Amino acid sequence: MAEHVRLHRMTNEQAAKARPLRWKLFNLIYLLFYFPEWLWRPPSLTDIAAIIIGVAVFLPLYLRAFETGGKNGLKSMFAMEAIALALSPFSGLHGVFHIYACVQAGFLRPGKLAVKWIIGLTLFYAAFTLLSTNDLQEWFNAIFAVVFGVISGIGVISSAEAYENAKIRERAQSVERQHARLAERERIAHDLHDVLGHTLTMVTLKSEVAAKLIEKDPERAREEIDEVAAAARGALAEIRETVYGMTITTHDTELDLALRALADAGIALKVAGDIPHLDANQSK
């Protein structure tokens, strides 16, 4: 269970991907603590059947356990402690399930609540052992489970907080990315509005001029129509660039488009003073 301490050194993405499965599979190794007693106390068929049933009940709980806070965390903790108590009459270090319960308690939030539950589990398990048996070996096993459970539970509190903070930061970054995408969409919509607005105004005015000149001055009408086609091609190129986030417009460009559109309509526009220089971000 020492791999808890490595979580705060990972990036948010690495922790999110690595912890749920790899960490849990690694820590199943602590189930091996259950079996050394069988070396000097050969198990009966009942002992073997008991641990098989216990592990079968434990594994689904384990794969859903070790999450911060919530009622599910408490349920997992109680269930693991119950497995430890249920296996107490059989040969083997049933206290290993008490250790897993203490680790689950370490994930409860806030941290003070986790400490209280670890202390409560420790006192309960110690009292249960003292009252249920006079076997010195059982007492020794209980001491091991109690000490290791406290160390593991307390040790996991800080790493659980670090992991929870990492998830909060990841959610915050996700929200920021969504806001950035929305801002980019608004920018593109604004650019498209400007491009289409200028172009359609110019096309409308030049089309009206061409319609009036088509009989009086066909050559001039053809020039106006050519300019309409050129403006449409230019607008199409600008729209493509805008969609790809490449369009950078300036006040000079916008003013030139306005002057040309008004001139075609026979309106004179006079600009007084100098246009200040603005960078790309200010010009948007």
Side-chain angles (χ1 to χ4, degrees):
M1 297 178 188
E3 205 164 279
H4 281 296
V5 300
R6 300 179 187 174
L7 290 175
H8 68 283
R9 298 176 187 173
M10 299 181 181
T11 63
N12 296 353
E13 184 177 357
Q14 288 172 331
K17 291 181 179 179
R19 177 178 172 271
L21 182 60
R22 188 176 67 185
W23 179 88
K24 290 181 179 180
L25 292 178
F26 174 83
N27 283 288
L28 283 175
I29 195 173
Y30 292 95
L31 286 176
L32 296 177
F33 285 148
Y34 186 89
F35 301 102
E37 186 177 331
W38 288 8
L39 297 176
W40 60 86
R41 288 186 178 180
S44 65
L45 291 178
T46 304
D47 294 329
I48 295 174
I51 186 58
I52 290 175
I53 295 173
V55 171
V57 174
F58 169 75
L59 286 178
L61 291 169
Y62 176 80
L63 294 176
R64 292 195 299 267
F66 307 126
E67 299 298 334
T68 54
K71 294 181 179 180
N72 290 334
L74 281 174
K75 291 179 181 179
S76 298
M77 181 190 72
F78 288 137
M80 292 175 185
E81 190 72 8
I83 293 173
L85 301 184
L87 292 175
S88 61
F90 305 99
S91 176
L93 181 58
H94 53 85
V96 68
F97 296 100
H98 166 76
I99 296 172
Y100 281 111
C102 287
V103 171
Q104 173 59 66
F107 279 102
L108 299 176
R109 299 270 74 79
K112 291 181 179 180
L113 178 64
V115 172
K116 290 179 181 178
W117 274 113
I118 292 171
I119 294 173
L121 289 172
T122 300
L123 295 176
F124 174 78
Y125 185 76
F128 173 84
T129 303
L130 288 173
L131 296 174
S132 63
T133 182
N134 292 322
D135 190 328
L136 291 178
Q137 181 62 46
E138 286 295 319
W139 287 0
F140 174 79
N141 290 346
I143 292 173
F144 171 82
V146 164
V147 172
F148 205 85
V150 170
I151 293 173
S152 300
I154 297 297
V156 80
I157 291 176
S158 61
S159 58
E161 290 178 347
Y163 176 74
E164 190 173 46
N165 291 335
K167 290 199 296 184
I168 293 173
R169 288 194 297 271
E170 186 176 3
R171 287 195 294 268
Q173 291 173 357
S174 176
V175 171
E176 289 178 0
R177 288 192 294 269
Q178 291 177 1
H179 288 169
R181 286 194 293 269
L182 289 174
E184 180 65 10
R185 289 175 184 174
E186 291 178 357
R187 183 195 67 79
I188 292 174
H190 181 268
D191 289 348
L192 287 175
H193 177 272
D194 288 346
V195 170
L196 292 175
H198 286 300
T199 302
L200 292 177
T201 299
M202 182 182 298
V203 167
T204 300
L205 293 174
K206 286 186 172 292
S207 297
E208 292 176 353
V209 172
K212 294 177 181 179
L213 296 174
I214 196 168
E215 293 181 358
K216 299 179 180 179
D217 191 347
E219 187 65 26
R220 173 72 187 281
R222 188 179 298 110
E223 292 178 0
E224 295 292 337
I225 293 174
D226 290 340
E227 290 186 16
V228 168
R233 286 192 295 270
L236 180 60
E238 287 188 60
I239 290 172
R240 288 173 177 170
E241 290 179 353
T242 300
V243 171
Y244 287 100
M246 297 172 60
T247 296
I248 299 177
T249 186
T250 65
H251 283 78
D252 289 334
T253 301
E254 298 298 321
L255 183 59
D256 182 62
L257 291 172
L259 288 171
R260 289 168 56 188
L262 292 172
D264 291 328
I267 300 173
L269 174 65
K270 182 178 180 181
V271 179
D274 297 327
I275 299 175
H277 174 73
L278 300 174
D279 60 31
N281 290 328
Q282 293 172 318
S283 298
K284 291 180 180 179

